[in-house]
Each structure stands twice: as structure tokens, then as C-alpha cells.
Amino acid sequence: MFNDHSMLRYLTAGESHGEAIIGVLEGAPAQLPLTSDDINEHLARRWLGYGRGGRSKIENDKVHIYSGVRFGETLGSPISFRIDNGAYEKDKAGWPEKMAIEGDPPEDMETVTMPRPGHADLAGKQKYEHDDMRPVIDRSSARETAMRVACCSVARRLLNEFGIEVGSHVVRIGDVGFDAPEEWADRRNALIEKGSDGASALYETADQSATRMIDDEMTERCVEHIDQTKKDRDSLGGVYEVVVTGVPPGLGSYVHWDRRLDGQLVQAICSIQAQKAAEVGDGFRNAHRPGSQVHDPIEPREDGAQAYPRRTNHAGGTEGGTTTGMPLVVRGYMKPIPTLIKPLDSVDTATGEPEPTRYERSDITSVPAASTVAEATVAYTVANAFLRKYGGDSVPAIRRHIEADGHGSE
Ligand SMILES: Cc1cc2nc3c(=O)[nH]c(=O)nc-3n(C[C@H](O)[C@H](O)[C@H](O)COP(=O)(O)O)c2cc1C
């Protein structure tokens, strides 16, 4: 995932039931403290959430770093990673044979010819001309997000080094949740303004909830809703919010379309499987309101402060595609999980005949997990904008650039 303005770039490779997923991150500055634990913490958080399926019991994601780090610090060279797929051997489904890199398929191997609505199955089969949809299922799977979280955790570690924190919480799962930002904004703001942890305090609190919500009563209602949905053999989507604190003004730009940070943030969310909409600030709600209730009044700044405070933050921390110094707020909208226990109508592409879908192990909802992946992709996006403004080959060089910028001056 990179564009013409990326300072950091990463690639992922790997199939969901292959041996492992691989990633390479290029562009991380030297002398950034980095350990496997910095990454493993967020890999574990990706498994959070009530309503997860059987795979959560098989996987124990731990990253193996192969290069780019020495004695706990980055070297400035590409950082390469591997995360093993527990399902490859633990599943007892014969994946080593079915996903073999060389040789012929096992004689008794069933090919997948029935596309599941809502998955990449049919589109991928038609695009790559596979008779067997297994390769489509395996690469379009959100298993890939484990490696994204790994690569993007380095970006998050870099932001943390400069006091920029990223967090998230879930605001809705299916029918149960908050409707309007003002219903949760005070509680969220109290968390991110408390102490020096900024938005990290938000994720730490949300992680305590079975549904990653910052409201106990809502968590309970959501758990019941998920239980009922499972009984109904159905699935759920939802809404979550990612917040970034400590962001200096001036990241991103209005001067060219692809340098607008608001546009990049929406892409960061919608690049994740099953995320079908995103809004910056109160984007959707603002469209229904008069301007006097939307645009955030500017207040005088204190001596030495970098940003002018705003009385409200309906804009979500950007104006003109550029950060204002207020927290960045981005919300993601996830569709319901497409694999249902209840069959959906489909067609067997081998025979051309109508056929109901067959159930494969799956989550009832993955909104809490998606919110942690969204933290990662947002961190990566903000880190790129940060490096574009203050970037250097090493962490000390970046510090010098920030100091030279003379915070607070016009
Ligand atoms: C963290 C996460 C976990 C997911 N888990 C499942 C799952 O267990 N079962 C499923 O059918 N889809 C799951 N999905 C959604 C599918 O990966 C996605 O809908 C599918 O790849 C098609 O892509 P699209 O929805 O973007 O068109 C998950 C998505 C995310 C982000």
C-alpha cells in the first residue's frame, strides 16, 4: 500500500491457508527503538472481540523479524517479517498438500466451484480464470490484515516516539449502538485528554470490553445481539471510530488531490476487507446540518502553542486536507460478514446450476477486529504525512527537523 507521496512503503504476500504471511516495510528511519513485542501486542489485539469464529482458537500470531533491526533499533534498511499461519498445520485439513508450492494437487482434493455472495469468490474466479476458487478465497481473506498490522505497527511506533497516539473504539454492531457522535464524544474526549497517553488510553479502555466499546451497558446489549444473531444463523457489521492525538498542524496538503490527508484516511479504511464507507469527523451527519452548527470556531492559542484550539471538532482534525492540530477522527463502516450459517442462493460454476452456499468456519461479526486493523492503516497514513513534513534518515534527524520548524511561530 503506497502512493506517489509515500515515504514508508510496504508489501504483503501470503495465502490464508499457506505456510505463512510475509511482509516488507521500506523507508522506516534508523534508530527507532523496535521490538517484536511492539508488534505482537497489536497482533493479539486483532483477535479481540465477541463473536469471532474457530480460527481465533487456532492462531497465535507472533511476528518473526528477519532484517532491518539490530539490537532493538531500526537500521534504516528494509524490515522484513513473517507470521506463521497456525491453520496450515493445526487444521488437519491437509493444507500443506492442498496449498503445495510444487507438484500436483492431491487426487481426492475437492475444488471450490460455488461462489459465496459478498466474498471475492466469483469476481476473483472471473478475473484470474481459476476453475477452483481456493486461491481467491485464500488471498482475499482478511488473514492478510495480520501482516498489515505488523508493518503498520512500525509506523505507529514511530508516531509514538513523537507523542502521536492512535486508538479506536466500536460505536455500533448491527442494530445496537450509538446513533450520533454527541452520544459518545464527551466520554471519548475525557479518555483521550486524561494523562499523557492520548488516544492510546482510548484503545486500552476499549480493549477491556467484549465488543471494544467504551460503554458497559452497550457492550452487554451488543453481546446479546451477537448471541441472537448466531441463533438466527446470520451475521453483523458495524461502525467504529479511530482517533489520533498529538498530531501537529500542517500534515497533508490542499495543493494537490493526492496529498489531501482526509482522502488518504478514507482510503486507509476502505482498503481493509469489508469496510465499505468511511467519514472524516462528523462527515455524514454534517451533510444534514447548517454550516453554523458544523464549522469549528477558532480560538486564540496560548503562548508557545503550535495549534489554535477549536471549540468543537466536527471536521475531525483536517481542513483543506491538512491537519489543524485537533485530534484526527475517522469512522469506518463495515458490512456484515458475508459467510452465513444460513445458506444464501448461489450457482455452482462447474454445472451452472443454482445451489445454496455451504458454511465454512467464520466470524458472526469482526467489527472489533476491524477497528484494530483500521488503527494500523490510519497510523501508517499519518506516519507518511508526518515523514513528508519532518522526515529524515534517522530519528535524531527527524527531531532536528521538528526543532528547526520552530513550533508556535507563523
Ligand atoms: C478483521 C476481519 C475479519 C474478517 N473475518 C471474516 C470471517 O470470519 N468470515 C467472512 O466471511 N468474512 C470475514 N471478513 C470479511 C471478508 O474478508 C470480506 O468481506 C471479503 O474478503 C470480501 O471483500 P469485500 O467485503 O471488501 O468485498 C473479515 C474482515 C475483516 C476486516
Side-chain angles (χ1 to χ4, degrees):
M1 200 163 97
F2 47 85
N3 62 37
D4 290 348
H5 304 290
S6 296
M7 313 299 283
L8 296 167
R9 302 180 292 161
Y10 72 90
L11 287 172
T12 74
E15 272 68 43
S16 176
H17 299 96
E19 204 175 339
I21 22 182
I22 302 295
V24 180
L25 174 77
E26 198 273 319
Q31 295 188 43
L32 176 70
L34 185 73
T35 65
S36 303
D37 284 346
D38 293 326
I39 295 169
N40 289 336
E41 176 197 349
H42 297 293
L43 289 177
R45 296 181 57 239
R46 203 186 68 94
W47 283 112
L48 290 174
Y50 193 74
R52 306 304 300 276
R55 187 129 187 197
S56 60
K57 296 178 184 72
I58 300 176
E59 300 298 341
N60 176 27
D61 292 333
K62 294 271 184 284
V63 75
H64 185 110
I65 303 178
Y66 284 92
S67 67
V69 183
R70 187 167 180 244
F71 307 133
E73 276 194 356
T74 57
L75 304 177
S77 54
I79 309 176
S80 51
F81 309 97
R82 172 189 169 121
I83 301 170
D84 286 336
N85 289 322
Y88 183 68
E89 282 180 357
K90 288 190 205 149
D91 247 1
K92 307 290 176 229
W95 295 119
E97 294 76 33
K98 288 180 187 167
M99 299 302 290
I101 301 291
E102 291 175 8
D104 295 322
E107 272 174 19
D108 57 349
M109 190 179 81
E110 245 186 273
T111 55
V112 184
T113 55
M114 181 119 54
R116 300 158 305 164
H119 272 287
D121 306 0
L122 185 56
K125 172 200 161 52
Q126 292 189 304
K127 180 171 172 65
Y128 292 102
E129 303 183 31
H130 292 302
D131 289 335
D132 180 0
M133 291 171 211
R134 173 53 57 194
V136 183
I137 295 174
D138 259 67
R139 183 59 191 162
S140 63
S141 159
R143 176 75 190 140
E144 176 261 351
T145 60
M147 186 47 76
R148 283 212 241 181
V149 167
C151 293
C152 296
S153 293
V154 181
R156 182 199 285 256
R157 182 68 196 80
L158 174 70
L159 293 177
N160 294 162
E161 195 67 16
F162 295 95
I164 304 172
E165 306 283 336
V166 186
S168 72
H169 64 117
V170 172
V171 296
R172 163 170 296 278
I173 293 183
D175 264 349
V176 178
F178 296 110
D179 289 314
E182 47 272 27
E183 292 174 41
W184 72 82
D186 286 350
R187 209 167 319 182
R188 174 248 281 153
N189 291 344
L191 280 169
I192 62 177
E193 283 160 15
K194 198 176 70 181
S196 58
D197 289 348
S200 291
L202 178 63
Y203 88 66
E204 283 158 11
T205 301
D207 285 359
Q208 307 305 312
S209 149
T211 51
R212 298 207 70 247
M213 289 173 147
I214 54 175
D215 182 290
D216 292 343
E217 196 251 321
M218 200 64 88
T219 299
E220 268 178 45
R221 286 176 51 205
C222 258
V223 165
E224 283 166 23
H225 187 35
I226 295 167
D227 284 340
Q228 186 56 49
T229 305
K230 190 171 183 183
K231 280 188 200 137
D232 297 341
R233 301 155 75 221
D234 221 316
S235 68
L236 295 169
V239 185
Y240 55 85
E241 180 175 80
V242 181
V243 179
V244 189
T245 53
V247 186
L251 306 191
S253 181
Y254 57 85
V255 299
H256 197 247
W257 64 268
D258 58 354
R259 289 179 55 188
R260 294 188 60 106
L261 189 65
D262 45 5
Q264 292 175 3
L265 290 169
V266 169
Q267 208 265 337
I269 300 281
C270 289
S271 72
I272 305 168
Q273 295 82 341
Q275 316 307 300
K276 296 302 149 194
E279 61 181 328
V280 179
D282 300 339
F284 291 139
R285 197 165 164 80
N286 288 348
H288 298 258
R289 287 174 164 167
S292 57
Q293 290 174 32
V294 166
H295 301 300
D296 307 309
I298 303 172
E299 298 190 332
R301 64 178 175 180
E302 285 168 20
D303 282 350
Q306 200 181 0
Y308 287 85
R310 302 301 181 96
R311 211 170 301 149
T312 52
N313 189 21
H314 299 303
T318 70
E319 282 171 341
T322 310
T323 55
T324 61
M326 289 296 280
L328 284 172
V329 179
V330 200
R331 285 193 277 276
Y333 291 73
M334 182 172 189
K335 74 182 190 182
I337 290 293
T339 306
L340 306 190
I341 306 173
K342 180 164 44 191
L344 292 172
D345 289 345
S346 184
V347 170
D348 187 331
T349 55
T351 63
E353 295 299 320
E355 195 81 45
T357 53
R358 263 178 275 157
Y359 179 66
E360 273 191 30
R361 173 180 62 200
S362 180
D363 299 339
I364 301 294
T365 188
S366 320
V367 179
S371 63
T372 69
V373 178
E375 277 177 28
T377 59
V378 164
Y380 171 79
T381 305
V382 175
N384 260 319
F386 175 79
L387 286 174
R388 190 174 168 95
K389 186 160 174 67
Y390 295 113
D393 295 316
S394 66
V395 168
I398 298 171
R399 275 194 215 291
R400 289 196 297 275
H401 296 162
I402 292 175
E403 277 160 28
D405 191 47
H407 285 177
S409 61
E410 293 300 331

